[in-house]
């Protein structure tokens, strides 16, 4: 027994011990086939395991499945032609970063987890009745908006907001929302959030009407009473379906409350957002 232990500790028999395979011994092509079933953030996490996973995480065929089918059209619309030396992961990464266009009034990006196209339109990119009269509307700075400012209404009789966007959305079903808040939020020292509801009135008398139209004849409408002062809410306007991803889809939309029997005010208008419809449940928790 002593001789056996001596041989073991001196390495005399280590060369004869079987070597067990590890993850690093897997062929890179095999690893790529496995991680292709993961979400993009998970792929990036597994890339830190070892060299095989790191190399597989750059395989074009892995990211081809994650990109929208019309990704070249999307990239061209937003950035111009795709650099020749770029791989599919480079393209995916670039498209996931919000890109501002149309004089800074719109942003578009891919959702990192799903590859779904998301688009946001700022209040400055909308047509707002009375926006040029500071007695009614003001653009105020805030850290709570992707565009660093929102449109704030003090009081008005005739409330109407409209807008449009034309973009080559990939095929699928999309939902359009207005992001609104009753009250004007601000921060006190030490970061404590407060909301001034002094001008909030008139929204509980009649509902607000939301509408959307698409260039191929689709129409949707909804209405609801604005509520919950101090909370940003995504008000769902409706859904639309894109079938032809090779051509731009034009969407027009509006938000109105035109009952002139009473004034209304104290609302912040941030953005109009378009997300894949499967995101609707996620927005309820924002």
């Amino acid at each position: 027994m002593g001789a056996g232990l001596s041989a073991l500790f001196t390495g005399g028999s280590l060369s004869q011990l079987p070597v067990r395979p590890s993850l690093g011994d897997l062929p890179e092509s095999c690893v790529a086939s496995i991680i292709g079933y993961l979400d993009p953030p998970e792929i990036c996490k597994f890339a830190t395991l070892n060299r095989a996973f790191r190399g597989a995480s750059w395989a074009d065929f892995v990211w081809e499945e994650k990109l929208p089918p019309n990704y070249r059209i999307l990239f061209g619309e937003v950035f111009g032609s795709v650099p020749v030396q770029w791989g599919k992961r480079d393209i995916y990464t670039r498209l996931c970063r919000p890109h501002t266009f149309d004089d800074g009034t719109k942003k578009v990006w891919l959702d990192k987890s799903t590859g779904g196209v998301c688009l946001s339109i700022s209040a400055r990119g909308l047509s707002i009745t009375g926006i040029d009269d500071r007695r009614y509307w003001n653009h105020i700075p805030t850290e709570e908006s992707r565009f660093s400012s929102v449109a704030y209404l003090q009081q008005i009789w005739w409330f109407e907001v409209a807008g449009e966007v034309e973009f080559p959305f990939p095929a699928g079903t999309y939902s359009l929302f207005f992001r609104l808040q009753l009250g004007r939020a601000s921060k006190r020292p030490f970061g404590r959030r407060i909301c001034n509801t002094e001008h909030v009135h008139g929204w509980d008398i009649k509902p607000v009407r939301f509408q959307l139209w698409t260039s191929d004849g689709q129409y949707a409408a909804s209405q609801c009473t604005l509520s919950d002062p101090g909370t940003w809410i995504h008000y769902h306007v409706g859904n639309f379906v894109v079938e032809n991803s090779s051509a731009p889809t034009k969407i027009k939309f509006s938000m109105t409350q035109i009952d002139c029997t009473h004034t209304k005010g104290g609302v912040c208008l941030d953005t109009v957002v378009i997300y894949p419809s499967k995101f609707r449940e996620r927005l309820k928790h924002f």
Side-chain angles (χ1 to χ4, degrees):
M1 177 181 292
L5 288 174
S6 176
L8 179 61
F9 283 105
T10 58
S13 62
L14 286 179
S15 61
Q16 300 175 10
L17 294 176
V19 179
R20 294 182 178 180
S22 65
L23 285 175
D25 297 317
L26 289 172
E28 199 171 285
S29 59
C30 179
V31 175
S33 297
I34 295 172
I35 65 176
Y37 292 97
L38 304 176
D39 293 335
E42 294 174 327
I43 294 174
C44 294
K45 289 180 180 178
F46 274 90
T48 63
L49 285 177
N50 54 48
R51 184 177 300 176
F53 276 80
R54 184 166 58 253
S57 71
W58 286 92
D60 272 354
F61 77 85
V62 170
W63 294 95
E64 185 88 40
E65 295 296 319
K66 311 301 179 186
L67 285 163
N70 67 337
Y71 73 89
R72 290 192 177 275
I73 296 175
L74 286 175
F75 201 97
E77 179 76 17
V78 179
F79 304 108
S81 59
V82 179
V84 177
Q85 71 275 19
W86 279 24
K88 299 297 190 297
R89 175 169 165 169
D90 294 313
I91 298 171
Y92 190 93
T93 300
R94 189 67 187 89
L95 287 174
C96 284
R97 299 172 188 164
H99 176 73
T100 304
F101 65 104
D102 199 4
D103 296 326
T105 62
K106 298 180 179 67
K107 291 181 185 286
V108 64
W109 67 97
L110 294 188
D111 176 67
K112 291 181 181 180
S113 297
T114 65
V117 171
C118 307
L119 193 145
S120 182
I121 306 160
S122 75
R124 293 184 183 275
L126 305 175
S127 175
I128 304 174
T129 300
I131 192 63
D132 297 324
D133 193 328
R134 293 179 64 85
R135 292 175 300 172
Y136 307 124
W137 287 92
N138 290 282
H139 287 288
I140 58 175
T142 177
E143 298 177 356
E144 299 183 353
S145 171
R146 287 182 177 273
F147 296 91
S148 300
S149 71
V150 297
Y152 176 69
L153 171 66
Q154 293 193 91
Q155 178 173 287
I156 204 166
W157 289 90
W158 183 285
F159 181 86
E160 184 173 30
V161 178
E164 62 180 56
V165 63
E166 188 170 15
F167 196 78
F169 290 96
T173 303
Y174 295 85
S175 296
L176 189 144
F177 306 84
F178 275 82
R179 186 173 187 257
L180 307 167
Q181 176 187 252
L182 291 181
R184 179 173 177 170
S186 61
K187 284 187 177 181
R188 285 184 172 177
F190 307 109
R192 190 167 73 90
R193 185 180 189 268
I194 60 172
C195 187
N196 185 342
T197 59
E198 175 187 359
H199 298 115
V200 176
H201 69 283
W203 304 108
D204 57 343
I205 299 175
K206 291 289 182 67
V208 173
R209 181 169 177 79
F210 301 97
Q211 298 179 88
L212 74 80
W213 304 261
T214 68
S215 51
D216 59 358
Q218 298 179 67
Y219 172 74
S222 63
Q223 61 180 25
C224 67
T225 301
L226 306 190
S227 58
D228 298 327
T231 302
W232 286 107
I233 297 178
H234 289 85
Y235 290 92
H236 182 232
V237 178
N239 299 340
F240 62 93
V241 178
V242 175
E243 296 181 348
N244 182 9
S245 60
S246 61
T249 300
K250 188 173 184 178
I251 305 104
K252 293 184 178 182
F253 46 85
S254 70
M255 170 186 176
T256 56
Q257 214 292 15
I258 54 177
D259 185 338
C260 292
T261 59
H262 65 282
T263 62
K264 39 273 192 185
V267 66
C268 283
L269 167 60
D270 177 20
T271 54
V272 170
V273 293
I274 298 174
Y275 290 134
S277 290
K278 58 186 175 183
F279 287 11
R280 188 176 174 185
E281 288 299 317
R282 184 193 304 184
L283 293 178
K284 290 181 180 180
H285 302 290
F286 285 176

